[in-house]
Amino acid sequence: MRQLTSLDALFLAHEGDRTVGHVSAYVVLDPSDAPGGRLTIDALRDMMHSRMPLLPPFRWKLVGVPLGLDHGYWATDPEFDLGYHVRETAVPAPGGDDEVATLIGRLFSQPLDRQRPLWELYLVQGLADGRCALFSKVHHALVDGVSGAEILGAMFDLSPEGREVEAPTGSELEHPPSPVEMLLRTIAAAPKRARKQATALPRLVVNAGAIPGSGWIPGLRTAGRMARAIARPLTGDDRPLLEPPSGSAPQVPFSNRLSGHLRMAHVRLDLGEVKAVKTALGTTVNDVIMAIAAGGVRRWLLEHEALPDEPLLALVPVSVRTPEQYGTFGNRVGGMVVPLPTNLRESDERLAAARAAMMTAKQRHEAVPADALIDATRFLPPALFAQATKITLGIAGRPGVRPPMNLIVSNVPGPQVPLYCAGARIESLVPVSPVTHGVGMNITVMSYLGRIDAGIVVDRDQVPDPELVAAGMEEELEALKALAVAAGNGAG
Amino acid sequence: MRQLTSLDALFLAHEGDRTVGHVSAYVVLDPSDAPGGRLTIDALRDMMHSRMPLLPPFRWKLVGVPLGLDHGYWATDPEFDLGYHVRETAVPAPGGDDEVATLIGRLFSQPLDRQRPLWELYLVQGLADGRCALFSKVHHALVDGVSGAEILGAMFDLSPEGREVEAPTGSELEHPPSPVEMLLRTIAAAPKRARKQATALPRLVVNAGAIPGSGWIPGLRTAGRMARAIARPLTGDDRPLLEPPSGSAPQVPFSNRLSGHLRMAHVRLDLGEVKAVKTALGTTVNDVIMAIAAGGVRRWLLEHEALPDEPLLALVPVSVRTPEQYGTFGNRVGGMVVPLPTNLRESDERLAAARAAMMTAKQRHEAVPADALIDATRFLPPALFAQATKITLGIAGRPGVRPPMNLIVSNVPGPQVPLYCAGARIESLVPVSPVTHGVGMNITVMSYLGRIDAGIVVDRDQVPDPELVAAGMEEELEALKALAVAAGNGAG
């Protein structure tokens, strides 16, 4: 059995009370080359059955440790039932963006069942032009974005014909142990765990202030100051490993508690156009995407007469997975908090500010050991940790509490070769990522085959109209293209 | 504001931990006569908007009493949002019984959001032959089966043209009070509440043993014996008002804890055929329906090699609403536990046994004051009551605990005139009713326009194949028809 990491446990503890803990992707398929010209639920189940050997976490279910004495374990589910996880549904006619966004918002709002392996895959029928789609839900505790790409690699093929997958080797089946066994196992592991915590504690409490949201955990900042005083004689150094974000974020209409009902919008941009802007204006694709997000969010804030004078603060997740850790599944993800220049009037100012903010944040972030943010969640014993997370969630989004950030903006690299699923050609891959109390908007971007798809997920009660953000992002790319043309003329 | 009754509170307390508290109906529509030949979500929302004055409970949301000192209240939701409640979805092609049953099972499994009025209405597109459907979810705390018929009356019309509905009169809006106001209100009401409980206590504890599931509440039977001893000098009588069921039910594969995932099957019978059987064999429609249910469940038990020697025990809900109480909304429903003769080999034996069992149960039940079963839930203070319900649910379905009943069989009278919804003709009305821990099957039957539709709801993990029960019910009607023909020949 494999024990949950502290970050896995964080993602589980965050869930509930109207937040979901899974990540999703929405994949549009053209089934005209598939057998019979369509993708059936039986064909999809057959494909997933053949690929299960590549996806051992898809058979894992949670096994708790009695009394919350330690993080839980993953064990292979002896009653695994593929028909439960691979499902069929449909959108009403005409099967356009609105109908899809409504369906995805609802499916995404529903938590995964913790008594079963933490994933679901929906085949969505009824899209316009004879298309169908897949919608996946995988708990963040099971995988992060990078391992997510590996899941896509297991499910998708480089040709319509698919490939042979080897049968599972050896006995991978480990039955979930009884509560008594779990208790014994935990007691036996206690000395080692105590040592781990003792080692990690001084270093990590020093840096606790840099964990997003940590300011809400009562006493944590005081503990950090004390720990720095203790750590100095031990390490000869009291500089924090991570610089805390410079301040709290402005209050915006999506800084409240979640309603539990999510909505999404989808925007599709041309990767060639984004690259042309990047080249003409001497910046990076990432910076251009931040500027486009800033433009889209500014448009929404203006229309709702809620534009703050200061920039919003965006959490930008970054992978801290080392090359050796690829393929091991599990969570290896951290985050940096970056100002998003929604307050600047002109597109060129926003691009320049986004570029400067990303550069500063990356410099800070690269100075940090790759596993610092993962370790950062290990300094509290598990039960207390879950408690602290709940306290954090309980405070976030309350009136009068300034949020530590306003939204999440994430750029996930996608495949640049054509992919197929059960013989159907993949047209686009749209990421769908969660929001949380006080942070009611998530813009996640993925590139695939010359296009960039952004999934904008929002809380329904706080942002009833995410399509305004999508429209604003399209407008921003147009404005940046005009700047690029002007810059090209000036240079030539 | 209107306070929840004890039974409303029971239905709320029962919910959670993988049980749902709502009742549903699945309504198939032929939209060919509606404007444009189809029913749109906009037309449905317009219709529901115009009918809201007839459905005040559809704007009610729950307001809790701090510290659980008393039952909560219903207050009009100031942020009521019809677009949230009236939704559109679709089934994949070919839109047949299987696709519909899968969708309904999933929608029915999801609890209603307690922060909003406790109902949802789905327009289901994509059914075979150009049909569409409605699927409603209304919390049992808001209405029972009889008030449910009144809801249908508000939503549906006697002609495709619909009708004019009066605008709401006066100010019906009562904003939800603050927690402090609720606390004050509760304290002010305490003397009256204490008196009510003092009066109800002796009579109801005497009969507590007859409440389904009461055997699981620790100490309740002892309390009942003591209360009888106390009540004798007061009332001169120690006979229980309700006779406890004669024993506990046999263990069957659907006597376990719920998985939280429901499935349904649907069977359609000809009301004329059922009536012909009833007349030829000298019994009632209700008895024939019980016999058909017994035959269907026997078929399933045989195929799963799980047929007990004893009859199953079925809870049969009965309305205890007096004529004056019609139209007042709220819960007025009780239940009787009746042996279901699944153990008998021949159809004629099963019909005779069902008839005898129903007669005995009804005689017992009619001897009881109409409100006894409603009062029965009033004898415990609300917080303790919720606690007791949770203990009951915690024990039900555990290994080694004999269930007090095996399934629910319910016969809801339906309208016998053609009905229309937003101009579309209603083809059939299929009831969809909940199951609970230890009682993983519910067969609810409704008649409409010469047909009988039965919705069979089961727990997915305990009964993966409810369609076997449906097929068995059809076979049973065939067998009874043959008996009726033979009886007719014998008589003629």
Side-chain angles (χ1 to χ4, degrees):
Chain A
M1 276 198 316
R2 178 196 174 101
Q3 191 168 21
L4 272 67
T5 67
S6 301
L7 198 57
D8 294 342
L10 171 70
F11 285 124
L12 287 168
H14 256 282
E15 193 176 38
D17 189 28
R18 302 178 178 266
T19 60
V20 297
H22 47 261
V23 287
S24 287
Y26 171 68
V27 180
V28 180
L29 299 166
D30 176 357
S32 55
D33 294 333
R38 58 190 294 257
L39 179 55
T40 64
I41 184 67
D42 290 339
L44 183 64
R45 287 193 175 127
D46 287 349
M47 185 278 288
M48 284 305 290
H49 180 74
S50 73
R51 305 297 162 90
M52 287 301 288
L54 302 177
L55 296 165
F58 274 35
R59 288 179 184 269
W60 294 350
K61 62 179 258 187
L62 281 172
V63 184
V65 171
L67 313 180
L69 289 175
D70 198 356
H71 291 317
Y73 286 80
W74 298 112
T76 303
D77 182 0
E79 288 164 357
F80 179 75
D81 169 6
L82 190 72
Y84 172 84
H85 297 275
V86 183
R87 304 166 166 210
E88 189 176 31
T89 187
V91 285
D97 282 352
D98 284 356
E99 289 79 19
V100 166
T102 299
L103 176 73
I104 299 304
R106 276 185 216 145
L107 293 179
F108 191 61
S109 300
Q110 294 153 19
L112 292 163
D113 183 351
R114 294 215 181 169
Q115 307 229 8
R116 302 181 186 256
L118 289 168
W119 66 282
E120 293 169 1
L121 180 65
Y122 290 84
L123 173 58
V124 183
Q125 303 282 17
L127 269 70
D129 303 322
R131 302 293 192 268
C132 62
L134 298 178
F135 180 66
S136 64
K137 288 164 67 174
V138 183
H139 203 286
H140 217 316
L142 213 58
V143 282
D144 64 31
V146 179
S147 298
E150 294 167 70
I151 292 172
L152 299 186
M155 284 173 53
F156 297 156
D157 302 313
L158 297 169
S159 74
E161 295 75 34
R163 58 195 148 123
E164 286 297 312
V165 172
E166 277 178 38
T169 55
S171 161
E172 53 155 297
L173 210 72
E174 285 182 277
H175 282 272
S178 72
V180 172
E181 285 177 277
M182 287 305 293
L183 200 55
L184 292 175
R185 191 187 285 259
T186 300
I187 292 166
K192 190 176 152 218
R193 195 175 54 245
R195 203 163 52 239
K196 262 194 329 202
Q197 282 165 2
T199 328
L201 191 68
R203 173 150 155 261
L204 287 159
V205 174
V206 169
N207 296 292
I211 306 168
S214 64
W216 293 328
I217 303 178
L220 190 58
R221 284 185 192 279
T222 311
R225 278 197 299 274
M226 289 172 59
R228 270 197 291 280
I230 297 163
R232 192 164 17 207
L234 294 175
T235 61
D237 187 2
D238 69 344
R239 281 179 305 125
L241 291 179
L242 295 176
E243 191 186 331
S246 51
S248 57
Q251 198 87 35
V252 289
F254 43 90
S255 300
N256 301 307
R257 292 181 64 77
L258 296 183
S259 70
H261 306 283
L262 303 172
R263 275 202 173 156
M264 81 161 289
H266 167 209
V267 60
R268 181 167 297 164
L269 306 172
D270 188 281
L271 180 58
E273 293 179 0
V274 170
K275 283 189 173 166
V277 167
K278 165 206 94 152
T279 306
L281 302 178
T283 176
T284 70
V285 167
N286 242 330
D287 298 341
V288 177
I289 285 170
M290 290 299 286
I292 289 172
V297 175
R298 179 182 163 89
R299 154 87 184 264
W300 188 93
L301 291 166
L302 278 173
E303 299 222 12
H304 287 266
E305 298 181 354
L307 183 68
D309 294 335
E310 326 149 54
L312 301 200
L313 289 189
L315 176 72
V316 178
V318 287
S319 172
V320 293
R321 187 183 292 264
T322 59
E324 309 85 70
Q325 287 168 333
Y326 278 82
T328 58
F329 302 104
N331 275 298
R332 296 284 185 278
V333 70
M336 51 194 195
V337 176
V338 182
L340 193 73
T342 45
N343 56 327
L344 301 179
R345 185 181 299 266
E346 302 297 337
S347 294
D348 57 344
E349 296 172 346
R350 290 196 290 272
L351 180 60
R355 189 185 177 203
M358 288 294 277
M359 210 172 278
T360 308
K362 271 186 280 188
Q363 281 165 356
R364 281 207 315 264
H365 200 265
E366 278 165 12
V368 157
D371 62 349
L373 267 167
I374 295 169
D375 281 345
T377 55
R378 229 176 241 161
F379 75 97
L380 291 170
L384 179 58
F385 180 70
Q387 200 55 38
T389 307
K390 282 193 180 129
I391 292 167
T392 305
L393 289 174
I395 295 173
R398 293 268 166 91
V401 175
R402 300 254 307 182
M405 63 194 96
N406 295 111
L407 75 165
I408 298 163
V409 181
S410 187
N411 185 4
V412 182
Q416 295 307 317
V417 294
L419 293 177
Y420 298 83
C421 175
R425 191 168 55 81
I426 293 177
E427 287 202 339
S428 60
L429 294 163
V430 186
V432 180
S433 298
V435 292
T436 186
H437 292 301
V439 186
M441 183 180 293
N442 186 318
I443 301 176
T444 299
V445 164
M446 195 180 228
S447 55
Y448 168 64
L449 276 194
R451 288 206 297 225
I452 292 178
D453 286 289
I456 303 162
V457 175
V458 296
D459 181 72
R460 183 190 189 281
D461 284 6
Q462 301 180 60
V463 182
D465 47 4
E467 57 278 4
L468 273 191
V469 180
M473 288 172 68
E474 286 176 331
E475 289 163 15
E476 188 71 8
L477 178 56
E478 289 304 312
L480 290 171
K481 276 160 63 182
L483 285 175
V485 168
N489 289 346
Chain B
M1 275 197 316
R2 176 195 176 102
Q3 190 168 21
L4 273 66
T5 67
S6 301
L7 198 58
D8 294 340
L10 171 70
F11 284 124
L12 286 169
H14 255 284
E15 193 175 37
D17 189 27
R18 300 179 178 265
T19 59
V20 296
H22 47 261
V23 288
S24 287
Y26 171 69
V27 179
V28 180
L29 299 166
D30 176 357
S32 55
D33 294 332
R38 57 189 294 257
L39 179 55
T40 65
I41 183 68
D42 290 339
L44 183 64
R45 286 193 176 126
D46 287 349
M47 185 277 288
M48 285 304 291
H49 180 75
S50 73
R51 305 297 161 91
M52 287 302 289
L54 302 177
L55 297 165
F58 274 34
R59 288 179 184 269
W60 293 351
K61 61 178 258 185
L62 281 172
V63 184
V65 171
L67 313 179
L69 289 175
D70 197 357
H71 292 316
Y73 287 80
W74 298 112
T76 304
D77 183 1
E79 287 163 358
F80 178 75
D81 169 6
L82 190 73
Y84 172 83
H85 296 275
V86 183
R87 303 167 167 209
E88 189 176 32
T89 186
V91 284
D97 282 353
D98 285 355
E99 290 79 18
V100 166
T102 299
L103 175 74
I104 300 305
R106 275 185 217 146
L107 293 179
F108 191 61
S109 301
Q110 295 154 19
L112 292 164
D113 183 351
R114 294 214 180 169
Q115 307 229 6
R116 302 182 186 254
L118 289 167
W119 66 282
E120 293 170 1
L121 179 66
Y122 290 84
L123 173 58
V124 184
Q125 302 282 15
L127 268 68
D129 304 321
R131 301 292 192 267
C132 61
L134 297 178
F135 179 66
S136 64
K137 287 164 66 174
V138 183
H139 203 287
H140 217 315
L142 213 58
V143 283
D144 64 29
V146 179
S147 298
E150 293 168 71
I151 292 173
L152 298 186
M155 284 173 52
F156 298 156
D157 302 312
L158 296 170
S159 74
E161 294 76 32
R163 56 196 151 122
E164 285 298 310
V165 173
E166 276 178 36
T169 55
S171 161
E172 53 156 295
L173 210 70
E174 282 182 278
H175 283 272
S178 72
V180 171
E181 283 177 277
M182 288 304 294
L183 200 55
L184 292 175
R185 189 187 286 260
T186 300
I187 291 166
K192 189 174 153 220
R193 195 176 53 245
R195 202 162 55 239
K196 259 193 332 200
Q197 281 165 4
T199 329
L201 192 69
R203 170 148 158 262
L204 287 158
V205 173
V206 169
N207 298 291
I211 306 167
S214 63
W216 294 327
I217 302 178
L220 191 58
R221 284 188 191 277
T222 311
R225 278 196 302 272
M226 289 173 59
R228 271 198 291 279
I230 297 165
R232 192 164 17 207
L234 294 175
T235 61
D237 189 2
D238 68 345
R239 279 179 307 125
L241 291 179
L242 294 177
E243 189 186 331
S246 52
S248 57
Q251 198 85 35
V252 290
F254 42 92
S255 300
N256 302 306
R257 290 181 65 75
L258 295 183
S259 69
H261 306 284
L262 304 172
R263 275 204 173 153
M264 81 161 291
H266 167 210
V267 61
R268 179 167 299 165
L269 307 172
D270 187 283
L271 180 59
E273 293 179 0
V274 170
K275 284 190 172 162
V277 167
K278 165 205 93 153
T279 308
L281 301 177
T283 175
T284 70
V285 167
N286 242 330
D287 297 341
V288 176
I289 284 170
M290 289 301 285
I292 288 173
V297 175
R298 178 181 163 89
R299 154 86 184 264
W300 187 93
L301 290 166
L302 278 173
E303 299 223 12
H304 287 267
E305 299 181 352
L307 183 69
D309 294 336
E310 324 149 56
L312 301 200
L313 289 188
L315 176 72
V316 179
V318 287
S319 173
V320 292
R321 189 183 291 264
T322 60
E324 310 86 69
Q325 287 167 333
Y326 278 81
T328 58
F329 302 103
N331 276 298
R332 295 283 185 279
V333 69
M336 53 194 194
V337 175
V338 181
L340 193 73
T342 44
N343 55 328
L344 301 179
R345 186 181 298 265
E346 302 298 337
S347 295
D348 57 344
E349 297 171 346
R350 291 196 289 271
L351 179 61
R355 189 184 176 202
M358 288 295 277
M359 211 171 278
T360 309
K362 271 186 282 190
Q363 281 164 356
R364 279 209 314 264
H365 201 265
E366 278 164 12
V368 156
D371 62 349
L373 268 167
I374 294 169
D375 282 347
T377 56
R378 229 176 241 162
F379 74 97
L380 290 172
L384 179 59
F385 179 69
Q387 199 56 38
T389 308
K390 282 196 182 126
I391 291 167
T392 305
L393 289 174
I395 294 172
R398 292 268 167 93
V401 176
R402 299 254 306 183
M405 63 196 92
N406 295 112
L407 76 164
I408 298 163
V409 181
S410 188
N411 186 4
V412 183
Q416 296 305 321
V417 293
L419 294 177
Y420 298 83
C421 175
R425 190 169 56 81
I426 293 178
E427 288 204 337
S428 60
L429 294 164
V430 185
V432 181
S433 298
V435 292
T436 187
H437 292 301
V439 186
M441 184 181 292
N442 186 318
I443 301 176
T444 299
V445 164
M446 194 181 228
S447 55
Y448 169 63
L449 275 195
R451 287 206 298 223
I452 292 178
D453 286 288
I456 303 162
V457 175
V458 296
D459 181 73
R460 183 191 188 283
D461 283 8
Q462 300 180 61
V463 182
D465 46 5
E467 57 278 6
L468 273 190
V469 180
M473 288 172 68
E474 286 175 332
E475 288 164 15
E476 188 71 8
L477 178 56
E478 288 305 312
L480 291 171
K481 277 160 61 183
L483 285 175
V485 168
N489 288 345

